[in-house]
């Protein structure tokens, strides 16, 4: 009965607060695919402090059931860490999170959103496709871990 009630209950989407950082990290260990270099308490707290509306949380019945990071750099809209509890998938949680993220982008003047999606995560590909996103083959992501400031890295733009 409780599971049926949650299945029809629309998730409540809200911005994360600093007090949510530990719960978000624990949630990602269960619901997200892969691990990020930023998956630590300082990283999540820094995100929330830098852009308090970027990390969106979906809750049902007071339980964290989904997340998405909706980052806007003033020019482009980027989506990361769309994650939904496995037992809550296919119940509208991702749709609610993406809707909230897209409304945020529209308020900020964004024109197009892109999403970071693991190549091997085929179930996620179906989610993004059903939400109207398409794979963009002509682009590839290039990455380089940055040295941490305490590792002796200087400010090269000074």
């Amino acid at each position: 009965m409780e599971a049926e009630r949650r299945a029809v209950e629309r998730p409540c989407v809200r911005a994360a607060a600093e007090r949510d950082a530990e719960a978000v990290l624990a949630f990602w260990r269960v619901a997200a695919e892969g691990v990020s270099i930023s998956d630590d308490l300082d990283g999540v707290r820094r995100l929330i402090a830098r852009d308090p509306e970027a990390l969106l949380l979906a809750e049902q019945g007071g339980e964290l059931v989904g997340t998405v990071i909706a980052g806007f750099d003033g020019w482009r809209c980027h989506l990361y860490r769309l994650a939904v509890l496995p037992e809550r998938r296919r119940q509208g949680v991702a749709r609610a999170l993406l809707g909230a993220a897209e409304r945020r982008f529209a308020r900020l003047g964004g024109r197009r959103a892109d999403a970071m999606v693991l190549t091997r995560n085929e179930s996620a590909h179906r989610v993004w496709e059903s939400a109207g996103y398409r794979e963009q083959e002509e682009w590839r992501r290039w990455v380089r871990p940055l040295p941490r400031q305490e590792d002796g890295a200087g400010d090269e733009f000074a």
Side-chain angles (χ1 to χ4, degrees):
M1 185 72 160
E2 179 67 19
E4 291 173 9
R5 184 188 64 76
R6 286 187 190 148
V8 296
E9 177 185 322
R10 294 194 68 210
C12 172
V13 177
R14 67 173 177 85
E18 186 178 344
R19 69 181 179 278
D20 298 309
E22 289 184 39
V24 167
L25 285 170
F27 175 82
W28 285 341
R29 284 192 291 276
V30 173
E33 293 287 328
V35 176
S36 167
I37 195 170
S38 302
D39 283 357
D40 59 41
L41 202 50
D42 287 339
V44 175
R45 286 180 174 156
R46 208 172 18 261
L47 168 65
I48 294 167
R50 164 80 174 60
D51 187 349
E53 296 180 357
L55 177 53
L56 300 175
L57 309 181
E59 297 175 325
Q60 286 180 313
E63 178 185 15
L64 179 58
V65 296
T67 66
V68 71
I69 298 173
F72 181 63
D73 61 15
W75 183 38
R76 291 203 173 140
C77 307
H78 306 286
L79 295 161
Y80 311 91
R81 285 303 181 146
L82 177 62
V84 176
L85 275 180
E87 62 270 21
R88 298 296 175 85
R89 292 177 183 163
R90 302 189 58 81
Q91 296 177 16
V93 175
R95 185 178 320 111
L97 284 162
L98 291 177
E102 291 170 358
R103 287 188 299 277
R104 176 186 198 287
F105 292 152
R107 281 192 314 273
L108 294 170
R111 297 180 184 171
R112 177 181 63 196
D114 62 57
M116 298 292 299
V117 184
L118 290 171
T119 303
R120 72 176 193 274
N121 191 350
E122 292 185 18
S123 62
H125 298 181
R126 291 188 294 276
V127 170
W128 288 103
E129 191 173 83
S130 72
Y133 289 76
R134 66 176 177 79
E135 188 173 5
Q136 192 171 12
E137 281 297 322
E138 61 271 24
W139 291 89
R140 289 290 180 255
R141 180 176 177 218
W142 296 53
V143 299
R144 177 178 184 238
L146 299 174
R148 296 177 68 118
Q149 192 65 31
E150 58 268 18
D151 293 341
D155 184 356
E156 297 174 20
F157 296 104

